[in-house]
Each structure stands twice: as structure tokens, then as C-alpha cells.
Amino acid sequence: MRMRKGLTLVYTGNGKGKTTAALGLALRAIGHGQRVFMIQFMKGSAEYGEIQAARYLPHFTLVQKGLPTFVKKGEPSPEDLRLAREGLELAKQVIQAGEHELIILDEVNVAVDYGLLREQDVLELIDLKPEGVTLVLTGRYASDSLLGKADMVSEVKDVKHHFQRGIPSQPGIEY
């Protein structure tokens, strides 16, 4: 494989599809023989379709570092904080090991906004990234500092959503 330039990509915004975009990128990378490591912050449910699919995909590791319940902004539990810190430490280890071409930190932007992680720690994590590694940060509320560090930012805008018509979460769509 030719030498590649690792990038820092951010998927943010109030619309649905940020994790989905990152998973599409993972699928594309796997198709090119790349190794992918995904850490999901603030998520801890085996119901997510990507957890099920990860079992079938070669070179794809997915680890959840969250509880199966929602985090209350401004009032994270000690367990929420512990899991987020574990996720950040795991990300640091994976980045420094240099064994994966694509590393996805799903919902890390929200974890920062909700006070589970320090913004400075995530910025330092970006600086640790080796040249050939692409790092993806997903989630609403990406800070200006995180956006400034990124090579690419995509904002997913909520234009219309089926929730507004009372249609509940669908397996394979929302989770």
C-alpha cells in the first residue's frame, strides 16, 4: 500500500448520520485492507447494529465505553466519568501502538461538551496521531478548538426527521 497522509476528520451537527458516516468510512477503509478501531463514548448497548456487524467484519474492532442509559448533561455519574476516561486512555494506547490506519472516536465531541472529558485531553490526543493514521471525531457540539485542529469538518444539519411525526427509533436506522 502506498504511503498515505493521515487526517483528522470531524462529523458534527444537530442532524442524524454522524456515526453512520463514520461507519461508512470504516467500511470503505476495511475494503482497502485497512485496520479500524472504533471507540464509542457514552454508548453501552448491544442493541446497536454496528455492534452486531462488527463480529463479521475483518480488521474492525469496536469497543463501547458508556452505560446503556443516557448521560444527564452537567450531572454525569461517577461510572460515566470512569468509562469516558477509560475510553480516552484506550484511544491513546491504540493511537500510539500504530496498528490501525483508521481510529474513530464516536460521540467524543458530546463527551467533551457534557464534561466527561477535558477538551485539552482530546486536543492532545490529536497531536499524538502518527502521520499515517486517520482519526475521526463524531458527535454534536464539536468545539471551535477541535474544529480548528481538523483537516475536514462535515456538519450534519437537521432538516427533517421522522421523530417529528411521531415515528419511533428504528433498528438499522437509529441503532
Side-chain angles (χ1 to χ4, degrees), residues 23-172:
L23 287 164
L25 194 63
L27 188 62
R28 180 174 281 170
I30 291 165
H32 284 284
Q34 295 175 22
R35 294 155 300 185
V36 179
F37 202 105
M38 182 175 192
I39 300 170
Q40 291 188 316
F41 291 86
M42 302 173 67
K43 291 181 178 178
S45 172
E47 288 187 28
Y48 287 106
E50 58 266 28
I51 297 293
Q52 307 303 321
R55 297 179 185 144
Y56 303 102
L57 294 172
H59 312 296
F60 184 47
T61 303
L62 196 161
V63 175
Q64 291 185 318
K65 287 296 179 178
L67 297 172
T69 55
F70 288 105
V71 177
K72 187 170 182 183
K73 187 173 183 174
E75 296 181 32
S77 73
E79 185 68 0
D80 291 321
L81 294 168
R82 183 187 69 76
L83 288 167
R85 284 192 299 269
E86 277 184 13
L88 192 68
E89 184 56 36
L90 177 60
K92 184 177 180 180
Q93 292 169 9
V94 171
I95 287 169
Q96 290 178 318
E99 297 175 0
H100 295 83
E101 289 82 8
L102 178 63
I103 300 169
I104 301 167
L105 305 182
D106 186 39
E107 302 295 354
V108 72
N109 300 331
V110 180
V112 169
D113 185 68
Y114 276 40
L116 276 70
L117 298 174
R118 289 179 347 125
E119 177 188 57
Q120 186 58 39
D121 292 337
V122 177
L123 292 168
E124 289 171 7
L125 195 66
I126 294 169
D127 291 335
L128 288 176
K129 184 182 76 59
E131 183 62 28
V133 172
T134 292
L135 182 62
V136 178
L137 311 174
T138 77
R140 297 169 187 246
Y141 318 120
S143 70
D144 289 340
S145 297
L146 289 173
L147 296 176
K149 281 260 192 194
D151 296 297
M152 185 221 70
V153 175
S154 285
E155 184 176 2
V156 180
K157 181 180 174 187
D158 185 23
V159 176
K160 182 179 182 180
H161 198 293
H162 50 275
F163 285 173
Q164 297 161 341
R165 293 192 342 243
I167 300 171
S169 296
Q170 308 285 319

Side-chain angles (χ1 to χ4, degrees), residues 9-26:
L9 312 177
V10 174
Y11 294 105
T12 193
N14 68 350
K16 184 219 168 311
K18 297 169 291 291
T19 297
T20 306
L23 287 164
L25 194 63

